[in-house]
Amino acid sequence: MVQNNVTKIKKIGISGGTFDPVHCGHLIAAQEIRERLKLDKVLFIPVGLPPHKKDHRVTEAEHRYNMVFEAVRSNPFFEVSRIEIDREGYTYTIDTLQYLKTVYGDDARLFFIIGADVVPELVTWRQFEEIFRLCEFVAVNRPGTQKKDFFKNVRYLKEQYSAIIHIIKLPLIEISSTDIRRRVKEGRTIKYLVPESVEKYIYENGLYR
Ligand code: ATP
Ligand code: MG
């Protein structure tokens, strides 16, 4: 089959998060989605100052960025981006998406990857209706969210706002950054929950103690 690269529409996955720290749950989901949706790449974008996490202390952006860098370096389809951590003030997804459209072109398809816990929060994002026009979402199931609620919330956003939300079923991965921070604090193992390079980075920099 002859493929015309000039007209080929790019499909860019976006994995946004606090990544405090990035863990194997993020990586497994991104890898599976990249393959299933045949994305050209997945951009991991650590959030700068997350407006929704004002209540708890977030690790310095540079450390969170470095850990993602370490986690994705061996995967040719994965890339880490500084766009949000280099932006002043609170970070809003709408700004990131508008920027990515200027980089990849107006017709590029942006696929924003989220866990089931984030679906009900989408309507609290600044200019969320515009966000639904700029990108498609890829929602994956996650322990802690009832399947019934997950589907109900997705259906609501589709019907109410014409949001495009793809559901990708993954084996449930019971890993969270919260649990990893707690484990490090308590001196328990995080082996296999994060890539080895990330584990090393956490210990060498004395994070989460
Ligand atoms: P925290 O416990 O600090 O909130 P987290 O593990 O939820 O951390 P985030 O950086 O908040 O990680 O998440 C970024 C994105 O990755 C969110 O959309 C979240 O739902 C998703 N995600 C995180 N862990 C998983 C997992 N185990 N399975 C599926 N999705 C996940
Ligand atoms: Mg979270």
Side-chain angles (χ1 to χ4, degrees):
M1 195 180 78
V2 180
Q3 204 170 46
N4 184 347
N5 278 323
V6 180
T7 56
K8 189 179 165 256
I9 291 175
K10 288 204 184 70
K11 294 166 83 179
I12 310 293
I14 302 167
S15 175
T18 316
F19 299 129
D20 193 11
V22 65
H23 55 67
C24 293
H26 300 128
L27 298 165
I28 293 167
Q31 175 70 359
E32 184 72 15
I33 289 165
R34 201 225 59 88
E35 185 179 86
R36 291 252 234 89
L37 301 184
K38 302 196 167 37
L39 305 179
D40 294 292
K41 64 167 143 189
V42 178
L43 268 182
F44 284 73
I45 311 184
V47 73
L49 266 183
H52 62 288
K53 287 198 174 163
K54 283 179 187 143
D55 48 331
H56 96 97
R57 277 184 48 212
V58 173
T59 304
E60 213 181 293
E62 215 57 44
H63 282 314
R64 293 185 289 108
Y65 171 86
N66 290 341
M67 289 189 280
V68 177
F69 179 87
E70 289 298 334
V72 304
R73 67 190 303 169
S74 65
N75 190 326
F77 291 108
F78 287 0
E79 212 176 288
V80 60
S81 163
R82 299 187 62 93
I83 38 179
E84 294 198 347
I85 63 168
D86 285 345
R87 199 181 300 142
E88 303 262 320
Y90 288 115
T91 311
Y92 296 100
T93 301
I94 183 72
D95 302 328
T96 303
L97 295 174
Q98 282 167 344
Y99 173 77
L100 291 176
K101 284 280 185 179
T102 67
V103 174
Y104 294 105
D106 252 347
D107 57 356
R109 288 175 72 185
L110 305 176
F111 294 83
F112 202 110
I113 299 167
I114 52 173
D117 57 310
V118 174
V119 174
E121 292 172 7
L122 291 180
V123 294
T124 68
W125 290 13
R126 175 181 275 192
Q127 287 183 253
F128 69 92
E129 292 187 70
E130 180 60 16
I131 289 179
F132 290 144
R133 279 188 285 276
L134 288 174
C135 75
E136 301 169 44
F137 281 89
V138 186
V140 299
N141 44 322
R142 190 176 182 187
T145 304
Q146 292 287 320
K147 210 163 141 187
K148 197 172 94 245
D149 298 330
F150 178 45
F151 287 119
K152 199 179 93 198
N153 288 329
V154 167
R155 201 179 328 114
Y156 171 78
L157 295 174
K158 285 182 173 177
E159 286 170 2
Q160 197 70 20
Y161 303 107
S162 310
I164 302 174
I165 305 176
H166 310 271
I167 292 179
I168 297 276
K169 203 170 169 303
L170 291 181
L172 283 174
I173 310 156
E174 194 143 25
I175 306 178
S176 71
S177 303
T178 302
D179 180 54
I180 288 162
R181 293 192 299 271
R182 193 183 304 130
R183 282 168 170 272
V184 175
K185 199 169 171 51
E186 293 171 356
R188 289 156 62 211
T189 182
I190 55 168
K191 201 170 181 58
Y192 307 125
L193 300 177
V194 297
E196 232 168 79
S197 55
V198 173
E199 182 185 6
K200 190 160 166 265
Y201 189 96
I202 290 171
Y203 294 138
E204 284 182 357
N205 290 276
L207 303 183
Y208 312 124
R209 288 223 223 88

